[in-house]
Amino acid sequence: MSLLTVSDPTLAPIVEKVRNGERLTLEDGLKLYESPDLLTIGQLANEVNQKKNGDYVYFTQNMYINPTNVCEAHCKFCGFRRDPGQDGAYTMSMDDLLQYVEKRFNPNIREFHITGGHNHTVGFDYYVDIVKTLKKHYPQVTIKAYTAAEIVFFAEKTGKSIEEILQILIDAGLQTMPGGGAEILSERYRLLMSPEKATTQQWLDVHETAHRLGLKTHATMLYGSIETYEERLMHMIHIRELQDKTNGFYVFIPLAVQPKKATASIKMRTSAFDDLKTIAISRLMLDNVDHIKAYFINIGTQLTQLALTFGASDVHGTLVEERISHAAGALTQAGLTKDELIWLIQGANKIPVERDTFYNKIKVYE
């Protein structure tokens, strides 16, 4: 095991705990966030990731689909949503959906990643039909659809239970769920930033129910606005505790919040220091989750590459056309090619692994 030169003595007990396989506490996480010793934190996270994943870094060939941006919620961080009839509002018909996909599809795409607005002008059948339509026309492609917040929205609009909603979608072809809608799992945060969306407990309940029904899912954290370090860490602990119970999460995805406009001051964005530290601390806190994802859409390709030595083992996928972060103030590419993702990973002296949605290895690029 490598020797660490720990410049911040408060980290020494944490280094010892991690190397002994002991679980970190909220207090440990706060010491990590408050420490200026980024390199020790990064090296420690890299050690943990090496034990779990070696030099492998995963990616997939996927396509983002956002069928509608009409939304009844008014989250303060969102630049994507529109009111019905507002300029730029859209709701794809099934024909629109198929045309959108056909124009962008290639035979190597393995996953459709589907999220959108909480559109109160259409029924739940609309959302079910999206899954059915795509599964019918692209049966070989995995359907990853609808955040836990969307599932709660469907349940509230129909009067059905979470389990009933999920079972209908599974019967239609749903195979996994994205991790969005989590934002920060703190009621203080949610009341201020997204009061019309699922509560902390509802978000957790949806994922627990999905896991019980046989779906493995994803978990995100939208950091960098009004939340405290303690709230970030409690968010991670919520995920960790549910993972202890169900082992249903594939990956944890820290998402840097984007300003409302691309022209926003750099002071409105997260810092590279905070991005790398958050990825590393996620790796250290979430000892029971296999992968931490570095999301190039929000932190850029160069920082994503650097994150691969700070505990990240996944760079997401090709995406083709990301809309939600770019409707806010993302300055990054809306998608990358497979060759670009391989180049990115190899540039960090890591081994690219093309995976499917379920983290089965498709091809290792030694």
Side-chain angles (χ1 to χ4, degrees):
M1 190 173 290
S2 62
L3 291 172
L4 284 181
T5 303
V6 183
S7 64
D8 178 0
T10 65
L11 295 184
I14 296 175
V15 171
E16 188 174 350
K17 282 180 81 170
V18 169
R19 287 182 161 177
N20 289 335
E22 296 176 44
R23 175 162 280 183
L24 298 187
T25 63
L26 173 67
E27 291 70 28
D28 293 328
L30 285 171
K31 285 179 184 174
L32 290 166
Y33 262 120
E34 289 161 1
S35 173
D37 191 359
L38 176 63
L39 293 181
T40 293
I41 297 167
Q43 286 178 80
L44 196 58
N46 189 55
E47 279 185 15
V48 171
N49 182 49
Q50 284 283 315
K51 282 185 182 177
K52 286 184 178 291
N53 299 298
D55 285 326
Y56 289 144
V57 174
Y58 294 79
F59 73 94
T60 191
Q61 296 198 59
N62 61 348
M63 179 190 292
Y64 266 34
I65 304 171
N66 308 116
T68 179
N69 64 353
V70 174
C71 190
E72 68 168 12
H74 299 79
C75 301
K76 290 185 179 175
F77 46 77
C78 184
F80 177 70
R81 70 162 307 281
R82 296 291 185 274
D83 290 318
Q86 185 181 349
D87 186 39
Y90 73 88
T91 300
M92 294 181 187
S93 67
M94 294 308 118
D95 286 343
D96 294 336
L97 176 72
L98 289 172
Q99 285 175 23
Y100 179 90
V101 173
E102 185 179 352
K103 191 181 294 185
R104 294 161 178 80
F105 190 77
N106 72 69
N108 298 311
I109 288 174
R110 303 180 182 280
E111 172 189 289
F112 293 137
H113 180 125
I114 307 162
T115 61
H118 297 190
N119 189 335
H120 49 298
T121 71
V122 296
F124 176 51
D125 285 350
Y126 171 78
Y127 292 91
V128 177
D129 286 346
I130 288 168
V131 176
K132 285 182 176 176
T133 299
L134 289 172
K135 204 64 194 169
K136 177 184 175 183
H137 287 84
Y138 299 92
Q140 77 282 13
V141 179
T142 299
I143 303 291
K144 178 167 82 175
Y146 307 137
T147 67
E150 288 172 280
I151 299 297
V152 170
F153 166 72
F154 302 153
E156 289 174 346
K157 290 302 176 188
T158 61
K160 297 181 186 297
S161 69
I162 295 299
E163 183 167 346
E164 287 172 322
I165 292 291
L166 285 170
Q167 193 60 60
I168 290 167
L169 290 168
I170 290 167
D171 292 343
L174 180 71
Q175 293 163 276
T176 183
M177 288 170 51
E183 289 35 295
I184 294 290
L185 294 173
S186 147
E187 287 314 291
R188 183 195 75 88
Y189 173 97
R190 300 180 90 76
L191 285 169
L192 290 169
M193 298 296 281
S194 54
E196 298 145 298
K197 278 169 66 172
T199 65
T200 293
Q201 194 56 53
Q202 285 175 321
W203 191 95
L204 292 165
D205 287 347
V206 169
H207 282 272
E208 183 171 355
T209 305
H211 298 168
R212 181 162 47 78
L213 293 175
L215 296 184
K216 285 204 166 190
T217 64
H218 306 71
T220 63
M221 178 179 75
L222 185 69
Y223 68 92
S225 59
I226 66 162
E227 81 283 352
T228 63
Y229 287 148
E230 185 170 349
E231 285 172 319
R232 290 188 196 181
L233 291 160
M234 280 307 304
H235 180 109
M236 295 177 200
I237 289 168
H238 281 310
I239 300 299
R240 188 171 75 183
E241 288 176 346
L242 182 52
Q243 184 75 337
D244 277 343
K245 191 173 181 181
T246 66
N247 194 34
F249 290 115
Y250 286 120
V251 60
F252 182 72
I253 310 139
L255 299 172
V257 74
Q258 302 298 298
K260 283 291 187 72
K261 296 179 181 177
T263 54
S265 162
I266 63 167
K267 296 196 297 184
M268 300 298 291
R269 299 179 183 276
T270 57
S271 71
F273 200 95
D274 193 19
D275 293 333
L276 289 174
K277 189 182 271 192
T278 297
I279 285 167
I281 292 172
S282 299
R283 179 63 286 161
L284 295 170
M285 293 295 294
L286 290 162
D287 51 43
N288 56 359
V289 176
D290 286 340
H291 300 285
I292 304 297
K293 185 176 291 185
Y295 189 51
F296 69 83
I297 289 292
N298 286 27
I299 63 172
T301 51
Q302 289 172 306
L303 207 56
T304 292
Q305 190 178 54
L306 197 55
L308 302 182
T309 55
F310 279 72
S313 58
D314 190 289
V315 294
H316 201 48
T318 50
L319 306 184
V320 182
E321 184 180 27
E322 195 283 336
R323 289 185 173 192
I324 293 177
S325 290
H326 285 85
L331 300 175
T332 55
Q333 296 93 329
L336 292 175
T337 66
K338 181 185 81 168
D339 288 345
E340 287 172 328
L341 288 170
I342 290 169
W343 176 88
L344 194 74
I345 295 164
Q346 288 177 336
N349 292 318
K350 301 288 186 177
I351 300 168
V353 180
E354 185 174 354
R355 61 169 175 85
D356 64 11
T357 300
F358 314 107
Y359 282 85
N360 297 308
K361 293 174 183 171
I362 304 301
K363 184 173 181 181
V364 178
Y365 295 85
E366 295 283 1

